[in-house]
Amino acid sequence: MKKSVTGLAVLFSLLITVIVVRTFLYTDSETSQDGIPGVDVSLDETSVVSRLSQAIQFPTISHGGKAFDAEAFAAFNHFLRESFPRVYSQLKVQQINDYSLLMEWQGKDEKLQPILLMSHMDVVPVIPGTEDSWTWPPFEGKVADGYIWGRGTVDDKSGVLGILEATEKLLAEGYQPERSVFLAFGHDEEIGGQKGAVTIASLLQKRGLFFEYVLDEGGVVTKGVVPGIEGLVAVIGPGEKGYLSLKLTAKGGGGHSSQPPSETAIGRLAKALSRLEEDPFPINLQYTADFIQQLGPDVPFVQRMLFANRWLFEPFADGLVPDVPALMAGMRTTTAPTMLSGSVKDNVLPLNPSAVVNFRILPGETVETVTERVREVIDDDSITLENYGFGSNPSRVSPTDSFGYQQLERSIHEVIADPSLRIAPRIVIAATDARHFDALTDSSYRFMGVTLGPKELKGIHGTDERVSVESYLQAVKIYYQLIRNSTGQS
Ligand SMILES: [Zn+2]
């Protein structure tokens, strides 16, 4: 008896040692910017800021169902042409489906694979009823208090204008890229990207092109956003989650509310929804593990221990990982009931009440596997499931040791000479146009060089969207360095 207790104690202390050692070793030694000198990129700051401000003044809104504002998009296209004369005269510029843009800057060496930089020209509408809550009108492009304010300042006109500013500057300097540089700006990203990115991707595919890497929006430099970390964290998205909305309908209801059955259709629907909430998708630490590893010693010990010993803790992760929605979103397929509809009268039992549930799908699962699991969890044949709106599978997850990722890391370090800066990959939890380009590259990344704190992040698709002047200039410089680094002589 005593012997086995001692044996257990030895085993236990061995296990503790393994866990602790693994935790301390769980850091990437190359997280610092050793050997990467800062680079000073000079910009005509007043003009650069003024052009973004003007860009915000075009209400290029993707409304979805509502009428398309052709005038705003045509005027925005015209504004770009006027603002970036070298780009338009020296690059091959194609209008795709009238308003999207594909630009091609021919490189000197045709043997080198081209790169593709992307962003989108459309913005989401201002949420009805919040117009008066904005500090400055959303389409005024106001520059005040060190910020550029308005819808699209972050998502994603900083991307469109930032890429064009960098390209225009390089052209003005007489720069000639070794490899070709493609630029793509869709005009309907916020409503699925069919006319913009999807059409552009199929055009490029028909030409037989394959890219060294593709860069789109998605990640940013965060400040005070990653729990427990005070410094800057540049988050690069090597992939993105999939998207699915399912409409659950409880059939066979109806009747007068004065004589309801013991089980109503709404009751069945409510049960189905609560089952989904009580039985969430399993936690998968894999896609957050690289992120934690890159942050290394900056991450609190307990969290690092969890990720360093995934083999041991993953099955119990549900109780161990703090239940923070932003954290959870990177670790599981999320379940979010968003729309409910029943009867239109208080004394009428609805015939077919329904609910729409939105899922963001983690890589490793698909639209089909998610639908299948939902059916199992609900376990009620009287509830039908149908797809609601568009759905998409998760993108591929690109490697973080590729040429593209390395050039991105290097360019970020060159421009942001802050010793606290860490660069780490994390799956993007929203959808971007980049997912349409999986067949055109092995390496697609989602990143834009603006620095955003919690307040600025809230403005994206919300109220008071804004970008600090300083961080927008930083984004332009990172695009500039990235193009140089990726297309210079090696
Ligand atoms: Zn966007």
Side-chain angles (χ1 to χ4, degrees), residues 8-251:
L8 266 179
V10 169
L11 260 180
F12 187 67
S13 60
L14 201 67
L15 180 66
I16 297 290
T17 312
V18 169
I19 291 172
V20 171
V21 168
R22 285 183 65 99
T23 305
F24 276 111
L25 291 178
Y26 199 65
T27 173
D28 194 302
S29 54
E30 291 171 40
T31 46
S32 74
Q33 58 188 106
D34 289 350
I36 303 179
V39 171
D40 203 9
V41 182
S42 67
L43 293 173
D44 176 357
E45 297 184 357
T46 312
S47 311
V48 169
V49 170
S50 147
R51 276 188 289 267
L52 179 60
S53 155
Q54 289 172 66
I56 300 308
Q57 295 166 38
F58 299 91
T60 50
I61 303 169
S62 273
H63 285 287
K66 273 200 226 159
F68 173 73
D69 188 354
E71 213 173 293
F73 282 91
F76 185 59
N77 264 269
H78 180 76
F79 161 75
L80 294 179
R81 185 179 290 275
E82 297 285 299
S83 302
F84 302 103
R86 289 187 183 84
V87 169
Y88 276 80
S89 62
Q90 295 180 45
L91 271 58
K92 187 182 154 203
V93 179
Q94 257 180 291
Q95 304 275 150
I96 310 292
N97 282 326
D98 298 328
Y99 307 106
S100 287
L101 291 165
L102 174 62
M103 304 179 173
E104 186 176 347
W105 190 3
Q106 184 73 51
K108 285 188 275 183
D109 188 346
E110 278 185 17
K111 290 193 297 295
L112 294 172
Q113 284 177 345
I115 61 168
L116 171 63
L117 307 182
M118 303 169 52
S119 41
H120 62 87
M121 301 189 262
D122 58 325
V123 299
V124 293
V126 170
I127 305 162
T130 65
E131 295 84 352
D132 294 339
S133 315
W134 286 66
T135 306
W136 301 100
F139 295 102
E140 196 179 294
K142 181 80 178 177
V143 183
D145 305 323
Y147 282 94
I148 308 161
W149 302 74
R151 177 59 87 228
T153 43
V154 178
D155 185 12
D156 183 16
K157 283 177 176 165
S158 274
V160 178
L161 274 283
I163 291 169
L164 288 170
E165 292 287 357
T167 309
E168 183 81 5
K169 178 174 164 64
L170 286 162
L171 289 167
E173 291 165 358
Y175 182 79
Q176 286 185 296
E178 291 292 317
R179 70 175 81 234
S180 293
V181 180
F182 283 70
L183 313 179
F185 307 117
H187 74 279
D188 60 348
E189 190 273 347
E190 300 289 1
I191 47 171
Q194 288 300 320
K195 289 192 168 161
V198 173
T199 307
I200 290 172
S202 83
L203 257 171
L204 295 172
Q205 223 170 338
K206 272 184 208 136
R207 284 179 55 184
L209 285 160
F210 197 78
F211 293 89
E212 180 63 49
Y213 70 84
V214 170
L215 178 72
D216 196 3
E217 61 169 344
V220 295
V221 184
T222 64
K223 190 176 184 173
V225 172
V226 181
I229 296 184
E230 280 171 29
L232 299 173
V233 181
V235 183
I236 300 176
E240 67 189 70
K241 292 177 89 177
Y243 188 102
L244 170 68
S245 287
L246 288 176
K247 184 174 176 187
L248 281 57
T249 307
K251 300 265 171 159

